[in-house]
């Protein structure tokens, strides 16, 4: 049966310039060792199980994601708006991967009851991770983010590889402005506090639908200070247009004055803009990133190729 203590859901691989790239690690490390130094593909995807357009579908969304994972062989994928039956389908289709599902509860409508997809099954967050990397479903934490408004209580689910002090987290934050903005501010503050205190000595990888744009003051609490524009956080954004850099880089423009590329931007992952993110510890080197269209979601899949351990290091400050 699928694990439903905290979260693991879904997706796979990376496309760079139209070329499929898989992680260099084969997943053969001893259990509990943690991901050894190397280059890996990571992914982030909102599966849209809560939408009327996509949430009522049967197996196609899960099958499409499973095919991506089979082809791209990522180390892990974080996912939101996932459905329990979709995750069970993923688990059936993906030998060699563990799928952790973390259900969430309603906040405003029938408070405290399980949230539901737009078909009769539980709704939540997921982390899908490759077996043999040292992650253990028994080393899973679910952090409530202190939501005050919105459809459901927002949470961050994390799975740990204790031996090498790695943690992978999946989070889905409250959308909208007004009173909902205040809830998202509180949620981001909680995410930041948990990642920098509970996991202070871990390599952190956070994937999520943060429901805010890169230059917002709220998101500045996660971006490393070197990104500027009011950033006050501690993390590198793996799908930044600057790649591994945090500070804007001088670019030749042919104009009398040099222009600078803003690093707190990125391609839209939704019709409302860039809402999906892959944040990593500054020690993780970002080699490339890209988006992939999905016909079964209103979000695009976000992929990055990253390197940690020997030969990585902080290059952006």
């Amino acid at each position: 049966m699928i694990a439903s203590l905290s979260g693991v859901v879904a997706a796979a691989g990376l496309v760079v310039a139209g070329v499929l790239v898989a992680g260099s690690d084969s997943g053969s490390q001893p259990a509990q060792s943690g991901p050894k130094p190397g280059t890996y593909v990571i992914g982030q995807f909102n599966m849209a199980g809560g939408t009327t357009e996509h949430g009522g579908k049967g197996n196609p969304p899960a099958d499409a994601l499973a095919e991506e994972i089979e082809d791209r062989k990522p180390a892990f994928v974080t996912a939101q708006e996932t459905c329990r039956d979709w995750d069970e389908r993923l688990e059936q289709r993906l030998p060699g991967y563990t799928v952790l599902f973390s259900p969430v509860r309603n906040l405003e409508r029938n408070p405290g009851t399980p949230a539901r997809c737009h078909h009769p099954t539980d709704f939540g967050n997921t982390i899908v991770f490759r077996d043999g990397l040292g992650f253990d479903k028994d080393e899973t934490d679910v952090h409530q983010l202190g939501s005050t408004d919105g459809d459901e209580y927002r949470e961050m689910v994390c799975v740990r590889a204790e031996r090498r002090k790695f943690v992978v987290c999946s989070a889905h934050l409250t959308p909208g402005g007004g009173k909902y903005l205040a809830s998202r501010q509180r949620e981001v503050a909680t995410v930041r506090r948990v990642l920098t205190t509970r996991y202070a000595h871990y390599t952190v990888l956070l994937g999520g639908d943060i429901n805010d744009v890169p230059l917002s003051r709220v998101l500045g609490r996660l971006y490393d200070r070197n990104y500027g524009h009011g950033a006050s956080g501690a993390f590198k954004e793996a799908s930044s247009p600057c790649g591994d850099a945090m500070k804007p880089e001088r670019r030749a423009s042919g104009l009398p004055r040099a222009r600078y590329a803003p690093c707190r931007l990125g391609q839209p992952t939704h019709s409302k803009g860039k809402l999906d993110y892959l944040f990593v510890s500054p020690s993780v080197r970002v080699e490339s990133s890209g988006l992939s269209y999905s016909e079964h979601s209103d979000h695009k899949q976000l992929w990055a190729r990253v390197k940690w351990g020997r030969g990585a290091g902080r290059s952006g400050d």
Side-chain angles (χ1 to χ4, degrees):
M1 291 294 293
I2 185 170
S4 61
L5 172 62
S6 38
V8 173
V9 53
L14 163 69
V15 174
V16 181
V19 179
L20 181 67
V21 183
S24 64
D25 182 79
S26 66
S28 61
Q29 303 91 329
Q32 301 303 307
S33 68
K36 69 181 182 182
T39 302
Y40 297 80
V41 171
I42 61 177
Q44 153 61 26
F45 184 39
N46 182 318
M47 293 188 73
T51 67
T52 55
E53 179 181 1
H54 301 288
K57 296 179 179 178
N59 290 327
D63 288 345
L65 181 55
E67 289 174 5
E68 299 247 14
I69 294 175
E70 290 168 344
D71 289 343
R72 300 176 182 181
K73 298 179 177 60
F76 74 86
V77 178
T78 54
Q80 302 79 42
E81 293 200 44
T82 59
C83 305
R84 186 182 295 275
D85 62 327
W86 287 355
D87 280 12
E88 291 172 346
R89 180 75 171 184
L90 285 173
E91 190 172 56
Q92 294 171 1
R93 289 284 309 270
L94 294 172
Y97 280 86
T98 294
V99 181
L100 281 176
F101 175 70
S102 182
V104 300
R105 295 170 293 122
N106 287 311
L107 174 57
E108 291 187 342
R109 184 180 301 176
N110 301 317
T113 61
R116 306 286 281 178
C117 287
H118 271 274
H119 62 279
T121 189
D122 290 342
F123 173 90
N125 299 309
T126 297
I127 301 170
V128 176
F129 59 89
R130 198 192 315 161
D131 297 340
L133 295 179
F135 295 106
D136 188 339
K137 65 182 180 182
D138 293 326
E139 294 175 345
T140 302
D141 309 309
V142 178
H143 304 279
Q144 299 302 321
L145 301 182
S147 305
T148 55
D149 292 286
D151 293 331
E152 43 307 311
Y153 290 99
R154 303 294 169 150
E155 68 174 34
M156 177 172 67
V157 59
C158 302
V159 61
R160 291 172 277 122
E162 280 296 332
R163 179 99 175 262
R164 282 204 171 112
K165 295 298 181 184
F166 266 76
V167 64
V168 177
C169 300
S170 174
H172 186 201
L173 274 55
T174 299
K179 64 177 183 178
Y180 300 109
L181 174 59
S183 187
R184 187 164 63 257
Q185 289 173 330
R186 183 171 180 176
E187 293 158 8
V188 168
T190 304
V191 168
R192 172 179 167 170
R193 176 180 55 79
V194 170
L195 295 181
T196 57
T197 57
R198 168 65 179 87
Y199 305 116
H201 302 295
Y202 290 71
T203 298
V204 173
L205 301 107
L206 167 67
D209 174 3
I210 308 299
N211 267 314
D212 213 335
V213 294
L215 285 172
S216 77
R217 184 174 299 178
V218 175
L219 263 291
R221 298 177 181 178
L222 294 180
Y223 278 95
D224 188 282
R225 291 171 174 80
N226 284 283
Y227 283 99
H229 298 282
S232 60
F235 300 100
K236 186 183 294 184
E237 213 280 282
S239 61
S240 161
C242 298
D244 194 58
M246 297 183 193
K247 291 182 178 180
E249 297 178 324
R250 188 179 295 271
R251 302 288 177 86
S253 64
L255 299 176
R257 300 175 63 183
R259 289 185 175 180
Y260 291 86
C263 297
R264 279 181 61 181
L265 288 177
Q267 295 178 285
T269 60
H270 186 273
S271 60
K272 294 182 179 180
K274 178 175 170 60
L275 303 181
D276 298 82
Y277 298 83
L278 280 166
F279 285 103
V280 297
S281 294
S283 60
V284 175
R285 180 177 294 276
V286 177
E287 296 192 343
S288 55
S289 65
L291 298 179
S292 179
Y293 170 77
S294 174
E295 65 177 314
H296 300 297
S297 176
D298 56 353
H299 287 251
K300 293 183 175 68
Q301 298 168 4
L302 177 61
W303 304 105
R305 182 177 175 87
V306 298
K307 183 176 183 179
W308 55 71
R310 293 184 299 273
R314 183 172 181 152
S315 64
D317 44 11

